[in-house]
Structure formats: C-alpha cells, structure tokens
C-alpha cells in the first residue's frame, strides 16, 4: 500500500512446513541446478542455511547458500480480509453497514423518480404547450442555474426546519420532485427535436396532452431520460453535503457521510479505508460501465437519426 512505484498485483511469499515449523520458500541455483529451498535461518556472514525441498538428488539436503543468490517464490494473494474488517469495525447498530446502504438506496431511487417526473413534465410543457409568458418563465428557470447553492442553503434549511424534516431523509429527496433547471433544459431540447407530425397524429387519434406525453413523447427521448437517471444516481449516491447538513442520528446516515466518519475513526489504517471506499464506489462504477453508452448518447444527441 505504501510502496512506490505501486504494486498493482498483490503477492505473498510461499511457505512450506518442515518439522512442524513454517519456513519461507526461495529458489536458487546450485552447481548448475535450479532448486527450491526453505530458508532455515537468517543470513550469517553473507550465507544462509537452507534445506532443499525440490525433487532430485539434492532433496532433503541442508546447504549454505549466498543470501544474494536466493530469490523469493511468491504467488498471487490479494488480502480480502480488509473488506471483512472494514465492515466488522462499523458500529453494531448499523448491521455491518446495511442501514447506511438502505438509506442511500432509498434516497437514490426517490431522487431518480422525482427528477424524471418533474423534469420531463416541465420540459414537455415548455417545448409543446403554448401559453402566455412561456418563454419568460423558461428564461427564469434557466436563470436559477446562475444561483450558487450556498445562497439558497440557509433559506432551504429554514423551510425544512419549519416543516419538521430535520434529521429525516425527506430533505435529501423531496427537492428532486421540484425539477432541475439543467435537466429541464436538456429534455426540452429533445422534445423540440421530435417532429410535430407525431403529436398531430396523436391528437387525431384522440390522445390528450397527458396521453401524448406518456405514450408518444417519452419513448422518443429514452437516451435523455437515461442520462438524467445516471447523473441523478451519481449525485444522490455520492451526496455528502446534504446528509452533513440535515442528518444528525446514525440511523439516518448515508454511505458518503458514513465513509467520512469511518475515515476519522480509522484514517490511520489505509487498508481498511481503501476497502471501505471501494465498496462505496463500486455500485457507481458498475452502473456507469453498463450504461455509459446511454449516458454519452443522451448528452450528445441533438436530433432524430434517419
């Protein structure tokens, strides 16, 4: 863990049990023969006592070999125990981190549902519906992107405190149901790229605005919806500031916040710290690995192919 350059493939030295004692295994050359030997003691005056364990005429013989001529025999051996230790050192009331995982999954799923519903409905209204002040309202929505989050942090906190939602999970997922200016803008651009003929055909068939939105429009913007889903997932899963502000009890902590507390408690043990970070980061890597095509397509696509 501390070696530079880093060791990408972890290995451990082989050992052999002789006469009831475990000895490290080396290979060396002796009189033109390559031998496997067990080191019986430390180097003395440049020489080391060994016992030959490889097959052949020298097997079982004890020799004195130069310490510089002995090379360790190693095998691939990752230390999975760090993952077990990282979970075992969590507080017992967290059930080996299961409480953190459930809280994070709940926030992530509800945030994704809220972002998809709010952004798609508002974007459909700005793209397809005609009403007075539509463009001015859309510019107002875009203007909210220029507001730093630090400016609204205190007013939003006061609102949630007045609602009695402090130390609950609601402040972490309810705002997703009020829409994100960036998601609304992106989905609106996709809705504008859909030919008007599809909407006119739906109206002729008797579809209402809601039916047209659900059955005609949404299936046409699946790449954009996938991009919104992935970005919302990564934002909710890795959110640290939200739990830091609104959560105070261990029963409502999320993985990102718990990881920071774990670092404060076990920062001097890099093995467990890296194992805990890997377990928290692994779902994000897996999701992005299998959905990166949809993510890239949703961000870059600006029209309909064909």
């Amino acid at each position: 863990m501390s070696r530079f350059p880093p060791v990408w493939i972890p290995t451990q030295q082989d050992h052999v049990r002789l006469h009831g004692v475990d000895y490290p295994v080396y290979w060396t050359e002796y009189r033109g023969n390559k031998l496997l030997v067990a080191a019986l003691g430390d180097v003395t005056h440049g020489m080391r006592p060994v016992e030959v364990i490889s097959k052949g005429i020298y097997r079982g013989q004890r020799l004195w070999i130069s310490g510089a001529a002995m090379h360790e025999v190693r095998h691939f051996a990752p230390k999975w125990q760090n993952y077990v230790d990282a979970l075992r050192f969590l507080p017992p009331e967290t059930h080996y981190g299961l409480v953190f995982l459930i809280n994070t999954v709940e926030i992530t799923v509800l945030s994704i549902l809220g972002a998809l519903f709010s952004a798609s409905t508002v974007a459909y209204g700005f793209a397809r519906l005609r009403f007075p002040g539509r463009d001015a309202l859309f510019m107002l929505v875009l203007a909210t992107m220029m507001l730093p989050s630090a400016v609204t942090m205190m007013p939003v906190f006061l609102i949630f405190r007045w609602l009695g939602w402090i130390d609950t999970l609601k402040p972490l997922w309810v705002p997703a149901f009020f829409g994100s200016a960036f998601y609304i803008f992106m989905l609106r651009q996709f809705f504008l790229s859909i030919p008007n003929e599809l909407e006119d055909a739906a109206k002729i068939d008797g579809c209402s605005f809601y039916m047209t939105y659900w059955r005609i429009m949404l299936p046409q913007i699946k790449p954009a919806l996938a991009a919104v889903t992935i970005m919302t997932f990564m934002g909710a899963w890795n959110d640290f500031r939200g739990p830091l502000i609104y959560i105070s009890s261990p029963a409502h902590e999320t993985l990102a916040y718990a990881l920071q507390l774990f670092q404060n408690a076990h920062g001097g043990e890099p093995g467990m710290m890296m194992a805990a970070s890997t377990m928290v980061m692994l779902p994000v890597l897996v999701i992005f690995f299998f959905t990166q095509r949809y993510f890239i397509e949703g961000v870059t696509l600006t029209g309909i192919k064909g």
Side-chain angles (χ1 to χ4, degrees), residues 20 30 43 46 51 88 108 125 144 148 204 209 228 260 264 287 292:
Y30 180 74
V43 177
E51 181 174 331
R88 186 167 54 86
T108 302
T144 61
I204 293 174
F209 282 115
V228 171
Q260 176 64 29
N264 295 336
I287 291 293
Q292 59 179 328

Side-chain angles (χ1 to χ4, degrees), residues 104-141:
T104 306
V105 170
E106 179 182 348
I107 294 171
T108 302
V109 171
L110 292 175
S111 297
I112 291 174
L113 294 177
L116 291 176
F117 173 75
S118 60
S120 61
T121 52
V122 176
Y124 175 70
F126 281 132
R128 292 302 190 179
L129 302 184
R130 295 180 177 87
F131 54 90
R134 182 189 66 174
D135 295 338
L137 286 175
F138 181 66
M139 294 302 297
L140 181 62
V141 171

Side-chain angles (χ1 to χ4, degrees), residues 28-232:
T28 185
E29 289 190 2
Y30 180 74
R31 294 182 180 178
N33 298 302
K34 186 175 181 180
L35 303 176
L36 287 178
V37 298
L40 303 180
D42 297 328
V43 177
T44 304
H45 302 297
M47 305 297 288
R48 192 168 190 178
V50 300
E51 181 174 331
V52 180
I53 59 175
S54 57
K55 296 180 180 180
I57 59 175
Y58 296 103
R59 183 177 179 84
Q61 293 188 19
R62 297 194 174 188
L63 308 171
W64 285 85
I65 303 294
S66 171
M70 298 176 59
H71 308 278
E72 294 181 355
V73 177
R74 307 184 69 87
H75 64 280
F76 175 68
K79 189 175 181 181
W80 304 109
Q81 187 63 30
N82 284 332
Y83 294 94
V84 179
D85 291 341
L87 295 177
R88 186 167 54 86
F89 275 84
L90 292 174
E93 60 271 16
T94 65
H95 302 288
Y96 298 102
L98 187 61
V99 173
F100 304 146
L101 178 62
I102 293 175
N103 293 336
T104 306
V105 170
E106 179 182 348
I107 294 171
T108 302
V109 171
L110 292 175
S111 297
I112 291 174
L113 294 177
L116 291 176
F117 173 75
S118 60
S120 61
T121 52
V122 176
Y124 175 70
F126 281 132
R128 292 302 190 179
L129 302 184
R130 295 180 177 87
F131 54 90
R134 182 189 66 174
D135 295 338
L137 286 175
F138 181 66
M139 294 302 297
L140 181 62
V141 171
L142 293 183
T144 61
M145 297 175 63
M146 295 184 290
L147 275 176
S149 59
V151 174
T152 59
M153 184 185 303
M154 183 57 67
V156 172
F157 177 83
L158 294 177
I159 292 173
F160 287 139
R161 189 182 67 174
W162 176 74
L163 292 172
W165 289 358
I166 301 301
D167 198 24
T168 68
L169 299 180
K170 292 181 180 179
L172 304 179
W173 61 264
V174 169
F177 283 84
F178 289 88
S180 166
F182 174 72
Y183 295 159
I184 292 172
F185 170 75
M186 185 174 67
L187 295 183
R188 175 182 176 271
Q189 298 306 111
F190 271 79
F191 280 128
L192 290 175
S193 67
I194 299 175
N196 293 329
E197 289 76 11
L198 290 176
E199 192 173 9
D200 294 338
K203 291 179 181 178
I204 293 174
D205 291 337
C207 289
S208 63
F209 282 115
Y210 295 103
M211 193 65 68
T212 303
Y213 155 79
W214 182 257
R215 291 192 173 183
I216 305 300
M217 293 300 182
L218 285 186
Q220 301 295 324
I221 63 167
K222 286 182 179 180
L225 296 178
V228 171
T229 300
I230 298 170
M231 288 186 286
T232 305

